[in-house]
Amino acid sequence: MNFAKLAARNLARNKFRVTLTIFGVAIALVAFVLLRTVLTAWEVAAEYAAKDRVATRHKVSIVMVIPKRYVEQVREVPGVKAATYANWFGGRDPHSPDEFFPTLAVDPASFLEVYDEVELDAESRQRWFDDRQGAVIGDVLARKLDLHVGDRYTLAGTIFPGDWEFRISGIYRATRKSMDRSEFFFHWNYLNETLPEKRRDQIGWIIGRIDDPTRAAEITRAIDQVFDSQDTQTLSMSERAMNLQFMAMFDALLKALNWVSLIILIILLMILGNTVAMGVRERTNEYGVLRAIGFLPKHVVMFVVGESMLLGREAGVVGIALSYPIVQYMMGRWLEENMGGMFPYFRIEPGTTVAAILAAIMLGAVAATIPAWRASRLGI
């Protein structure tokens, strides 16, 4: 008989309590894994950014506009193969105003040249080019809104108020995860021609495609130097840096998730500590017998801590077993399909799995510290 077998037999003596403890800790671990996966998936979104694209925006803030004429000057910068531009439209489905999906005004021809991962058949491309009110949408968004090619669709403007009517010219797919499949793209000219004179010919940002990703820093500096002496200065960066900058807007949320993760671990500690403490109290006489036949205080400590660590390990295994179907295959699939721009790859990382199991085991050891110390100090 070794310590591990003895710990397993002790746990089996009160199966109901141990089962409740394991499932209580397992559910808390599922929440822990979910939060950690949200954090890692959020960071992974930036990793899928195309390495050969750079973005140029207003130097002060991304919400400020720059002149459309800047696009031609960006195209003339050595190293830039192509460039396109976009405005954030901020449209909403009037029937479901709480349903969020990105809506952008773009230049169709240059947009498809820069974003070559957008897969759109030739017929749909031409249909979009020819129709000023035409729009293309991702296949995930098309399923969500039950839209088909040829359908008419109205967006309620927020940044640009009013009801905006469109015809669905095509439904695109994405060959890489750098493109969200839930986006809505339409003609920038359609937006521009309806604006007051003072708001026309302004764009949100420029996206350039470069010939050598290793020269991205050099090319972005060259772009900004072109506009240093003009009324509106720019700030250029890689697409990955722009994504990270966007994510920084949610810094407070990410910090909150980290704190919630810590709180969940504290809850795990309390659940395990309570179970271990009850088990020690019930077996006080048994520990006295062990001491009487020659076992030392350190052996009592090993019995208690080993039992608690085994309990934590079992709870960790069950928690991970529940996490994969719940977090990865149910929630993950939904997030990838509906929020692909923010979570293009929502998967439980191996590091998260290991961290969750180790955390359960180590918390089991910590939870047993006080009960084990008290048991070891009891007189025979």
Side-chain angles (χ1 to χ4, degrees):
M1 177 68 68
N2 55 37
F3 286 117
K5 290 182 179 179
L6 185 59
R9 289 194 176 185
N10 282 335
L11 287 177
R13 292 164 66 175
N14 195 324
K15 294 183 178 62
F16 182 70
R17 183 172 65 203
V18 168
T19 300
L20 289 180
T21 301
I22 287 175
F23 276 97
V25 173
I27 295 301
L29 275 178
V30 170
F32 173 79
V33 169
L34 172 61
L35 293 177
R36 301 312 305 175
T37 304
V38 168
L39 292 172
T40 55
W42 189 272
E43 295 170 357
V44 164
E47 300 301 325
Y48 280 99
K51 294 180 173 59
D52 64 343
R53 283 200 292 259
V54 296
T56 301
R57 63 167 179 83
H58 195 288
K59 189 173 184 177
V60 176
S61 171
I62 194 172
V63 300
M64 301 180 71
V65 294
I66 57 178
K68 177 180 176 291
R69 67 176 185 274
Y70 280 16
V71 180
E72 292 302 326
Q73 293 174 272
V74 169
R75 287 170 177 160
E76 295 172 0
V77 173
V80 177
K81 295 193 300 183
T84 189
Y85 51 93
N87 274 84
W88 183 265
F89 181 69
R92 291 286 186 273
D93 185 334
H95 304 294
S96 304
D98 295 330
E99 187 74 52
F100 171 80
F101 52 89
T103 54
L104 292 94
V106 302
D107 174 56
S110 61
F111 172 79
L112 293 176
E113 182 181 7
V114 172
Y115 288 92
D116 61 334
E117 67 266 43
V118 174
E119 190 176 68
L120 198 63
D121 63 79
E123 186 178 346
S124 295
R125 283 175 178 248
Q126 195 59 50
R127 190 185 302 115
W128 190 27
F129 294 165
D130 295 340
D131 187 354
R132 184 61 61 92
Q133 289 183 277
V136 297
I137 60 177
D139 57 326
V140 172
L141 182 62
R143 288 196 299 271
K144 183 192 299 184
L145 300 179
D146 193 25
L147 290 175
H148 306 85
V149 174
D151 288 352
R152 289 185 173 273
Y153 184 68
T154 301
L155 281 177
T158 54
I159 301 173
F160 305 94
D163 291 333
W164 299 75
E165 293 188 358
F166 301 95
R167 282 181 290 271
I168 306 303
S169 300
I171 297 173
Y172 72 84
R173 295 180 179 275
T175 58
R176 298 195 302 270
K177 289 185 179 292
S178 51
M179 173 57 62
D180 185 359
R181 294 159 56 201
S182 298
E183 298 197 50
F184 188 106
F185 301 108
F186 64 93
H187 283 260
W188 180 86
N189 285 332
Y190 175 48
L191 171 66
N192 189 58
E193 67 189 10
T194 60
L195 296 177
E197 187 67 32
K198 62 180 181 180
R199 296 187 66 185
R200 290 184 184 176
D201 298 326
Q202 304 289 324
I203 57 178
W205 61 90
I206 301 169
I207 307 94
R209 194 166 182 187
I210 59 178
D211 54 11
D212 185 0
T214 63
R215 297 178 56 232
E218 174 189 340
I219 295 172
T220 54
R221 283 196 300 269
I223 292 173
D224 291 335
Q225 286 173 1
V226 172
F227 307 111
D228 278 347
S229 59
Q230 302 195 32
D231 293 338
T232 302
Q233 286 79 48
T234 62
L235 178 63
S236 301
M237 63 197 76
S238 67
E239 186 174 87
R240 181 178 183 276
M242 192 171 188
N243 287 353
L244 288 172
Q245 193 175 78
F246 173 77
M247 293 190 303
M249 298 168 60
F250 299 89
D251 186 59
L253 174 61
L254 299 181
K255 288 181 178 178
L257 291 179
N258 272 318
W259 278 106
V260 173
S261 298
L262 179 60
I263 292 172
I264 289 175
L265 294 180
I266 294 173
I267 294 172
L268 296 181
L269 182 64
M270 295 172 65
I271 295 173
L272 289 169
N274 181 63
T275 299
V276 173
M278 286 192 294
V280 170
R281 283 196 300 270
E282 291 173 354
R283 292 195 291 273
T284 299
N285 290 340
E286 296 177 18
Y287 293 134
V289 172
L290 291 175
R291 290 293 312 282
I293 63 177
F295 283 86
L296 300 175
K298 67 178 182 180
H299 295 131
V300 175
V301 171
M302 292 174 66
F303 288 141
V304 178
V305 173
E307 182 179 333
S308 183
M309 292 177 68
L310 180 61
L311 181 62
R313 189 197 70 178
E314 296 304 310
V317 171
V318 174
I320 293 300
L322 293 174
S323 295
Y324 274 90
I326 295 174
V327 175
Q328 180 159 305
Y329 298 114
M330 293 173 60
M331 299 185 65
R333 182 173 298 177
W334 185 90
L335 287 170
E336 287 182 8
E337 291 185 352
N338 294 275
M339 301 179 67
M342 300 173 69
F343 301 107
Y345 189 77
F346 197 88
R347 296 288 188 274
I348 299 174
E349 293 293 319
T352 300
T353 300
V354 174
I357 294 178
L358 289 179
I361 295 173
M362 296 307 297
L363 287 173
V366 174
T369 301
I370 295 178
W373 177 76
R374 295 182 62 182
S376 68
R377 290 176 60 85
L378 292 173
I380 295 175

